[in-house]
Amino acid sequence: MMLVHNPAITIRSEVQVTALRLWHVPLTSHTAYYMAEGKTCDTVETVVIAVETDAGVTGWGEVCPIPQYLPAYARGVAPALLELRPVLIGADPLGSESLMAKVDAHLPGHLYAKSALDIALWDITGKLTGMPLYVLLGGRRAADLPLYHSITCVEPDEMGRIARAVQAEGITQFQVKLGACGDWQTDVERLAKVREAVGSGPLVYGDWNCGATSLDAIRVGRGAAHLDVMLEQPCATLADCARVLSATGLPMKLDELAHDTASLLDAHRLGIMDAVALKLSKFGGLSNLRRARDLCQYLGAKMCIEDTWGSDIATAAALHLAAATDPARVLNVCDLSGYVTPRIAPEAPARKAGRIVPPEAPGLGITIDSDVLGEPDMILD
Ligand code: 0XW
Ligand code: MG
Protein backbone atom coordinates (compact mmCIF):
# COMPACT_ATOMS: atom_id res chain seq x y z
CA MET A 1 0.00 0.00 0.00
CA MET A 2 1.31 3.46 -0.82
CA LEU A 3 0.60 6.28 1.61
CA VAL A 4 0.47 9.72 0.07
CA HIS A 5 0.60 12.82 2.24
CA ASN A 6 -1.73 15.52 1.00
CA PRO A 7 -0.15 18.86 1.97
CA ALA A 8 -3.55 20.56 1.53
CA ILE A 9 -4.80 18.82 4.65
CA THR A 10 -3.30 20.05 7.89
CA ILE A 11 -5.02 18.93 11.04
CA ARG A 12 -4.20 20.82 14.22
CA SER A 13 -3.16 18.29 16.84
CA GLU A 14 -2.20 20.63 19.65
CA VAL A 15 -5.33 22.47 20.56
CA GLN A 16 -6.46 23.46 24.01
CA VAL A 17 -9.76 24.50 25.53
CA THR A 18 -9.31 28.02 26.85
CA ALA A 19 -12.76 28.93 28.14
CA LEU A 20 -16.39 27.91 28.35
CA ARG A 21 -19.36 30.27 28.19
CA LEU A 22 -22.93 29.38 29.11
CA TRP A 23 -26.30 31.04 28.48
CA HIS A 24 -29.84 30.27 29.70
CA VAL A 25 -32.23 31.12 26.88
CA PRO A 26 -36.02 30.90 27.24
CA LEU A 27 -37.62 29.14 24.26
CA THR A 28 -41.30 29.83 23.75
CA SER A 29 -43.40 27.32 21.84
CA HIS A 30 -45.38 28.69 18.88
CA THR A 31 -48.34 26.90 20.41
CA ALA A 32 -48.24 25.61 23.99
CA TYR A 33 -47.62 21.89 23.94
CA TYR A 34 -49.43 19.59 26.40
CA MET A 35 -48.54 16.07 27.49
CA ALA A 36 -49.83 13.60 30.09
CA GLU A 37 -49.34 14.22 33.83
CA GLY A 38 -49.37 18.00 33.39
CA LYS A 39 -46.08 18.14 31.50
CA THR A 40 -46.06 21.22 29.29
CA CYS A 41 -43.78 22.98 26.83
CA ASP A 42 -44.83 26.60 26.91
CA THR A 43 -41.71 28.58 27.74
CA VAL A 44 -38.80 26.26 28.50
CA GLU A 45 -35.24 27.29 29.27
CA THR A 46 -32.53 25.93 26.98
CA VAL A 47 -28.85 25.93 27.93
CA VAL A 48 -26.36 26.96 25.26
CA ILE A 49 -22.63 26.59 25.73
CA ALA A 50 -19.63 27.80 23.74
CA VAL A 51 -16.32 25.98 24.21
CA GLU A 52 -13.47 28.29 23.17
CA THR A 53 -10.09 27.04 21.97
CA ASP A 54 -6.66 28.55 21.36
CA ALA A 55 -7.07 27.56 17.70
CA GLY A 56 -9.61 30.37 17.31
CA VAL A 57 -12.44 27.90 16.85
CA THR A 58 -15.55 27.80 19.05
CA GLY A 59 -17.66 24.69 19.57
CA TRP A 60 -21.37 25.08 20.34
CA GLY A 61 -23.54 22.81 22.45
CA GLU A 62 -27.12 22.85 23.72
CA VAL A 63 -29.35 20.94 26.07
CA CYS A 64 -32.98 21.76 26.82
CA PRO A 65 -34.58 19.57 29.48
CA ILE A 66 -38.37 19.79 29.66
CA PRO A 67 -39.43 20.26 33.32
CA GLN A 68 -40.65 17.00 34.97
CA TYR A 69 -39.88 15.06 31.80
CA LEU A 70 -36.62 13.25 32.66
CA PRO A 71 -34.20 13.38 35.62
CA ALA A 72 -32.69 16.57 34.22
CA TYR A 73 -33.17 20.32 34.74
CA ALA A 74 -31.76 23.31 32.92
CA ARG A 75 -30.22 24.97 36.00
CA GLY A 76 -28.31 21.75 36.74
CA VAL A 77 -26.03 22.18 33.73
CA ALA A 78 -23.94 25.12 34.96
CA PRO A 79 -22.95 23.55 38.33
CA ALA A 80 -22.02 20.27 36.60
CA LEU A 81 -19.79 22.10 34.12
CA LEU A 82 -18.28 24.20 36.91
CA GLU A 83 -17.37 20.94 38.68
CA LEU A 84 -15.69 19.79 35.46
CA ARG A 85 -13.61 22.94 35.10
CA PRO A 86 -10.32 21.26 36.18
CA VAL A 87 -10.58 18.65 33.40
CA LEU A 88 -11.91 21.02 30.74
CA ILE A 89 -9.72 24.10 30.77
CA GLY A 90 -6.42 23.33 29.03
CA ALA A 91 -7.68 19.97 27.69
CA ASP A 92 -7.37 18.74 24.10
CA PRO A 93 -10.90 18.88 22.63
CA LEU A 94 -10.16 17.03 19.39
CA GLY A 95 -12.00 13.77 18.89
CA SER A 96 -14.39 14.30 21.82
CA GLU A 97 -14.42 10.72 23.14
CA SER A 98 -10.97 10.97 24.71
CA LEU A 99 -11.85 14.10 26.69
CA MET A 100 -15.33 12.77 27.51
CA ALA A 101 -13.67 9.69 29.09
CA LYS A 102 -11.77 12.04 31.44
CA VAL A 103 -14.98 13.99 32.07
CA ASP A 104 -16.79 10.74 33.02
CA ALA A 105 -13.95 9.73 35.34
CA HIS A 106 -14.07 13.11 37.09
CA LEU A 107 -17.87 13.31 37.40
CA PRO A 108 -19.94 10.17 36.81
CA GLY A 109 -23.52 10.65 35.63
CA HIS A 110 -25.04 14.07 34.77
CA LEU A 111 -25.51 12.91 31.20
CA TYR A 112 -27.75 15.77 30.13
CA ALA A 113 -25.12 18.34 31.12
CA LYS A 114 -22.43 16.31 29.35
CA SER A 115 -24.59 16.14 26.22
CA ALA A 116 -24.09 19.86 25.52
CA LEU A 117 -20.36 19.52 26.17
CA ASP A 118 -19.92 16.49 23.92
CA ILE A 119 -21.80 18.21 21.07
CA ALA A 120 -19.51 21.26 21.41
CA LEU A 121 -16.39 19.04 21.26
CA TRP A 122 -17.68 17.38 18.08
CA ASP A 123 -18.34 20.83 16.63
CA ILE A 124 -14.73 21.86 17.34
CA THR A 125 -13.41 18.63 15.82
CA GLY A 126 -15.49 19.12 12.68
CA LYS A 127 -14.47 22.74 12.27
CA LEU A 128 -10.76 22.01 12.76
CA THR A 129 -10.82 19.10 10.32
CA GLY A 130 -13.02 21.00 7.86
CA MET A 131 -15.72 18.32 7.83
CA PRO A 132 -19.43 18.31 8.57
CA LEU A 133 -20.23 16.04 11.51
CA TYR A 134 -22.09 13.54 9.35
CA VAL A 135 -18.76 12.75 7.67
CA LEU A 136 -16.98 12.23 11.00
CA LEU A 137 -19.91 10.13 12.22
CA GLY A 138 -19.53 7.67 9.37
CA GLY A 139 -20.51 9.41 6.16
CA ARG A 140 -23.72 10.73 4.69
CA ARG A 141 -26.30 8.05 3.93
CA ALA A 142 -29.26 10.28 3.06
CA ALA A 143 -29.85 13.53 1.19
CA ASP A 144 -32.61 14.50 3.60
CA LEU A 145 -34.53 13.02 6.52
CA PRO A 146 -38.22 12.36 7.27
CA LEU A 147 -39.83 14.48 9.99
CA TYR A 148 -42.71 13.60 12.26
CA HIS A 149 -45.03 16.21 13.71
CA SER A 150 -45.85 16.05 17.40
CA ILE A 151 -49.47 17.03 18.04
CA THR A 152 -50.21 18.66 21.39
CA CYS A 153 -52.78 16.88 23.55
CA VAL A 154 -55.93 19.00 23.20
CA GLU A 155 -59.48 18.31 22.02
CA PRO A 156 -59.69 15.42 19.50
CA ASP A 157 -61.20 17.56 16.72
CA GLU A 158 -58.45 20.15 17.07
CA MET A 159 -55.79 17.42 16.93
CA GLY A 160 -57.34 16.14 13.71
CA ARG A 161 -57.28 19.67 12.31
CA ILE A 162 -53.57 20.07 13.18
CA ALA A 163 -52.80 16.70 11.58
CA ARG A 164 -54.55 17.72 8.35
CA ALA A 165 -52.74 21.07 8.28
CA VAL A 166 -49.24 19.60 8.66
CA GLN A 167 -50.05 16.76 6.26
CA ALA A 168 -50.86 19.41 3.66
CA GLU A 169 -47.29 20.67 4.17
CA GLY A 170 -45.81 17.21 3.54
CA ILE A 171 -45.66 15.50 6.97
CA THR A 172 -46.37 11.75 6.83
CA GLN A 173 -45.72 10.71 10.45
CA PHE A 174 -47.89 11.93 13.33
CA GLN A 175 -47.17 11.66 17.04
CA VAL A 176 -50.45 12.06 18.92
CA LYS A 177 -50.00 13.16 22.53
CA LEU A 178 -52.38 11.32 24.87
CA GLY A 179 -53.53 11.47 28.46
CA ALA A 180 -53.35 15.21 29.19
CA CYS A 181 -57.08 15.57 29.83
CA GLY A 182 -60.27 13.57 29.49
CA ASP A 183 -60.69 9.86 30.02
CA TRP A 184 -59.39 6.88 28.06
CA GLN A 185 -62.25 7.16 25.55
CA THR A 186 -61.05 10.69 24.70
CA ASP A 187 -57.64 9.23 23.89
CA VAL A 188 -59.25 6.67 21.54
CA GLU A 189 -61.06 9.59 19.91
CA ARG A 190 -57.80 11.51 19.54
CA LEU A 191 -56.24 8.61 17.64
CA ALA A 192 -59.42 8.14 15.60
CA LYS A 193 -59.64 11.83 14.62
CA VAL A 194 -56.01 11.94 13.54
CA ARG A 195 -56.32 8.71 11.56
CA GLU A 196 -59.51 9.99 9.93
CA ALA A 197 -57.78 13.28 9.08
CA VAL A 198 -54.68 11.76 7.44
CA GLY A 199 -56.24 8.67 5.85
CA SER A 200 -54.72 5.20 5.77
CA GLY A 201 -51.00 4.83 5.20
CA PRO A 202 -49.27 7.54 7.25
CA LEU A 203 -47.70 6.47 10.55
CA VAL A 204 -49.84 7.49 13.54
CA TYR A 205 -48.65 6.83 17.09
CA GLY A 206 -50.03 7.77 20.49
CA ASP A 207 -47.53 8.95 23.13
CA TRP A 208 -48.43 9.00 26.84
CA ASN A 209 -44.97 10.06 28.03
CA CYS A 210 -45.13 7.38 30.78
CA GLY A 211 -48.42 8.83 32.07
CA ALA A 212 -50.90 5.94 31.64
CA THR A 213 -51.78 3.03 33.86
CA SER A 214 -51.51 -0.28 32.07
CA LEU A 215 -55.31 -0.60 32.40
CA ASP A 216 -56.03 2.69 30.61
CA ALA A 217 -53.38 2.09 27.95
CA ILE A 218 -54.77 -1.39 27.25
CA ARG A 219 -58.32 -0.04 26.92
CA VAL A 220 -57.12 2.70 24.55
CA GLY A 221 -55.00 0.25 22.55
CA ARG A 222 -57.92 -2.18 22.19
CA GLY A 223 -60.30 0.66 21.34
CA ALA A 224 -57.92 1.90 18.63
CA ALA A 225 -56.69 -1.48 17.38
CA HIS A 226 -58.62 -1.18 14.10
CA LEU A 227 -56.95 2.19 13.35
CA ASP A 228 -53.43 0.90 12.55
CA VAL A 229 -51.56 2.77 15.28
CA MET A 230 -48.36 2.38 17.26
CA LEU A 231 -48.20 3.07 21.01
CA GLU A 232 -45.35 5.13 22.49
CA GLN A 233 -44.13 4.89 26.08
CA PRO A 234 -47.53 4.27 27.72
CA CYS A 235 -46.36 3.48 31.25
CA ALA A 236 -43.55 4.32 33.65
CA THR A 237 -41.97 0.83 33.76
CA LEU A 238 -40.79 -1.58 31.09
CA ALA A 239 -42.85 -4.35 32.71
CA ASP A 240 -46.08 -2.33 32.40
CA CYS A 241 -45.26 -1.41 28.78
CA ALA A 242 -44.73 -5.12 28.07
CA ARG A 243 -48.10 -5.87 29.67
CA VAL A 244 -49.75 -3.30 27.35
CA LEU A 245 -48.08 -4.90 24.38
CA SER A 246 -49.18 -8.41 25.26
CA ALA A 247 -52.78 -7.27 25.83
CA THR A 248 -53.04 -5.16 22.66
CA GLY A 249 -50.61 -6.71 20.16
CA LEU A 250 -49.85 -3.21 18.87
CA PRO A 251 -46.37 -2.09 17.79
CA MET A 252 -44.54 -0.11 20.45
CA LYS A 253 -42.05 2.73 20.56
CA LEU A 254 -40.03 3.44 23.68
CA ASP A 255 -38.79 6.84 24.69
CA GLU A 256 -38.20 7.90 28.31
CA LEU A 257 -37.31 4.39 29.54
CA ALA A 258 -34.73 3.76 26.78
CA HIS A 259 -31.71 5.74 27.90
CA ASP A 260 -28.65 3.47 28.05
CA THR A 261 -27.30 0.14 26.83
CA ALA A 262 -28.95 -1.89 29.58
CA SER A 263 -32.41 -0.38 29.04
CA LEU A 264 -32.17 -0.86 25.26
CA LEU A 265 -31.26 -4.52 25.76
CA ASP A 266 -34.03 -5.03 28.34
CA ALA A 267 -36.61 -3.40 26.06
CA HIS A 268 -35.51 -5.53 23.13
CA ARG A 269 -35.71 -8.69 25.24
CA LEU A 270 -39.27 -7.77 26.23
CA GLY A 271 -40.19 -7.21 22.58
CA ILE A 272 -41.36 -3.62 23.19
CA MET A 273 -38.93 -1.78 20.96
CA ASP A 274 -40.26 -1.79 17.41
CA ALA A 275 -39.12 1.83 17.50
CA VAL A 276 -37.14 3.94 19.93
CA ALA A 277 -36.46 7.62 20.57
CA LEU A 278 -32.70 8.16 20.72
CA LYS A 279 -32.40 11.54 22.42
CA LEU A 280 -28.99 13.18 22.79
CA SER A 281 -29.46 14.31 26.37
CA LYS A 282 -30.70 10.93 27.62
CA PHE A 283 -27.49 9.27 26.48
CA GLY A 284 -25.00 12.10 27.06
CA GLY A 285 -24.31 13.52 23.60
CA LEU A 286 -23.31 12.40 20.15
CA SER A 287 -20.52 10.03 21.24
CA ASN A 288 -22.82 7.86 23.36
CA LEU A 289 -25.79 8.25 21.02
CA ARG A 290 -23.71 6.96 18.13
CA ARG A 291 -23.02 3.79 20.13
CA ALA A 292 -26.72 3.47 20.99
CA ARG A 293 -27.52 3.92 17.30
CA ASP A 294 -25.18 1.05 16.45
CA LEU A 295 -26.79 -1.18 19.06
CA CYS A 296 -30.31 -0.34 17.81
CA GLN A 297 -29.19 -1.04 14.27
CA TYR A 298 -28.16 -4.51 15.46
CA LEU A 299 -31.32 -5.02 17.53
CA GLY A 300 -33.54 -4.09 14.60
CA ALA A 301 -35.36 -1.12 16.16
CA LYS A 302 -36.40 1.81 13.99
CA MET A 303 -34.89 4.99 15.38
CA CYS A 304 -36.19 8.47 16.00
CA ILE A 305 -32.96 10.48 16.37
CA GLU A 306 -33.59 13.75 18.22
CA ASP A 307 -33.39 15.45 21.60
CA THR A 308 -35.88 16.26 24.32
CA TRP A 309 -36.43 19.85 23.22
CA GLY A 310 -34.25 22.74 22.10
CA SER A 311 -33.34 25.02 19.26
CA ASP A 312 -30.94 24.86 16.33
CA ILE A 313 -27.86 23.37 18.01
CA ALA A 314 -29.62 20.30 19.42
CA THR A 315 -31.56 19.94 16.16
CA ALA A 316 -28.42 20.12 14.00
CA ALA A 317 -26.49 17.63 16.16
CA ALA A 318 -29.26 15.04 15.85
CA LEU A 319 -29.58 15.63 12.09
CA HIS A 320 -25.89 14.85 11.56
CA LEU A 321 -26.15 11.50 13.33
CA ALA A 322 -29.38 10.65 11.52
CA ALA A 323 -27.82 11.53 8.15
CA ALA A 324 -24.99 9.08 8.92
CA THR A 325 -27.40 6.26 9.85
CA ASP A 326 -28.82 3.52 7.61
CA PRO A 327 -31.90 5.26 6.12
CA ALA A 328 -33.83 2.00 6.32
CA ARG A 329 -33.57 2.21 10.11
CA VAL A 330 -34.30 5.92 10.56
CA LEU A 331 -37.93 6.20 11.57
CA ASN A 332 -37.76 9.98 11.69
CA VAL A 333 -36.12 13.09 13.12
CA CYS A 334 -37.53 16.21 14.80
CA ASP A 335 -37.17 19.86 13.78
CA LEU A 336 -37.21 20.99 17.40
CA SER A 337 -36.19 24.53 16.44
CA GLY A 338 -39.33 24.76 14.28
CA TYR A 339 -41.59 24.44 17.36
CA VAL A 340 -40.05 27.35 19.28
CA THR A 341 -38.85 30.88 19.16
CA PRO A 342 -36.21 32.36 19.10
CA ARG A 343 -34.07 30.52 16.58
CA ILE A 344 -30.48 30.44 17.88
CA ALA A 345 -29.12 29.94 14.36
CA PRO A 346 -31.80 31.48 12.13
CA GLU A 347 -30.28 30.17 8.88
CA ALA A 348 -30.04 26.56 10.13
CA PRO A 349 -32.10 23.85 8.39
CA ALA A 350 -35.88 24.01 8.64
CA ARG A 351 -38.81 21.80 7.66
CA LYS A 352 -39.57 21.64 3.96
CA ALA A 353 -42.21 19.36 2.46
CA GLY A 354 -42.14 17.16 5.56
CA ARG A 355 -38.39 16.60 5.40
CA ILE A 356 -35.20 18.33 6.52
CA VAL A 357 -31.68 18.51 5.08
CA PRO A 358 -28.69 18.30 7.48
CA PRO A 359 -26.35 21.32 7.59
CA GLU A 360 -23.44 20.94 5.18
CA ALA A 361 -20.69 23.24 6.52
CA PRO A 362 -17.88 21.93 8.82
CA GLY A 363 -18.76 20.87 12.37
CA LEU A 364 -22.41 21.38 13.25
CA GLY A 365 -22.52 23.57 10.17
CA ILE A 366 -24.66 26.32 11.66
CA THR A 367 -24.02 29.99 12.50
CA ILE A 368 -25.09 31.14 15.94
CA ASP A 369 -26.79 34.53 16.26
CA SER A 370 -24.91 36.08 19.20
CA ASP A 371 -27.54 38.85 19.53
CA VAL A 372 -30.08 36.21 20.55
CA LEU A 373 -27.76 35.00 23.31
CA GLY A 374 -26.69 38.34 24.83
CA GLU A 375 -24.25 38.28 27.75
CA PRO A 376 -23.27 34.85 29.11
CA ASP A 377 -24.60 33.72 32.50
CA MET A 378 -21.37 31.86 33.32
CA ILE A 379 -17.78 32.04 32.09
CA LEU A 380 -15.19 29.39 33.00
CA ASP A 381 -11.59 30.13 32.08
C1 0XW B 1 -39.92 15.19 23.77
N1 0XW B 1 -41.13 15.57 23.14
C2 0XW B 1 -42.07 16.12 24.13
C3 0XW B 1 -40.80 16.60 22.16
C4 0XW B 1 -40.58 15.93 20.88
O1 0XW B 1 -41.23 16.60 19.86
C5 0XW B 1 -41.15 14.54 21.05
C6 0XW B 1 -41.77 14.49 22.35
C7 0XW B 1 -41.75 13.10 22.95
O2 0XW B 1 -41.91 12.92 24.19
O3 0XW B 1 -41.61 12.10 22.24
MG1 MG C 1 -42.03 10.43 23.46
Side-chain angles (χ1 to χ4, degrees), residues 197-214:
V198 303
S200 61
L203 181 65
V204 172
Y205 49 112
D207 184 7
W208 281 274
N209 291 102
C210 301
T213 59
S214 56

Side-chain angles (χ1 to χ4, degrees), residues 307-318:
D307 207 350
T308 306
W309 204 240
S311 186
D312 293 292
I313 302 171
T315 301

Side-chain angles (χ1 to χ4, degrees), residues 33 35 66 69 148 150 175 177 207 209 232 253 255-256 279 306-309 334 336 339:
Y33 180 77
M35 294 170 268
I66 298 172
Y69 181 81
Y148 69 96
S150 186
Q175 184 192 52
K177 290 293 180 187
D207 184 7
N209 291 102
E232 175 172 344
K253 177 182 171 208
D255 185 351
E256 285 88 335
K279 290 181 156 81
E306 61 171 5
D307 207 350
T308 306
W309 204 240
C334 188
L336 294 166
Y339 289 78

Side-chain angles (χ1 to χ4, degrees), residues 122-127 130-134 136 320 359 361-366:
W122 275 92
D123 190 26
I124 291 168
T125 306
K127 284 170 174 161
M131 303 208 199
L133 292 192
Y134 58 71
L136 298 180
H320 281 285
L364 285 167
I366 59 174

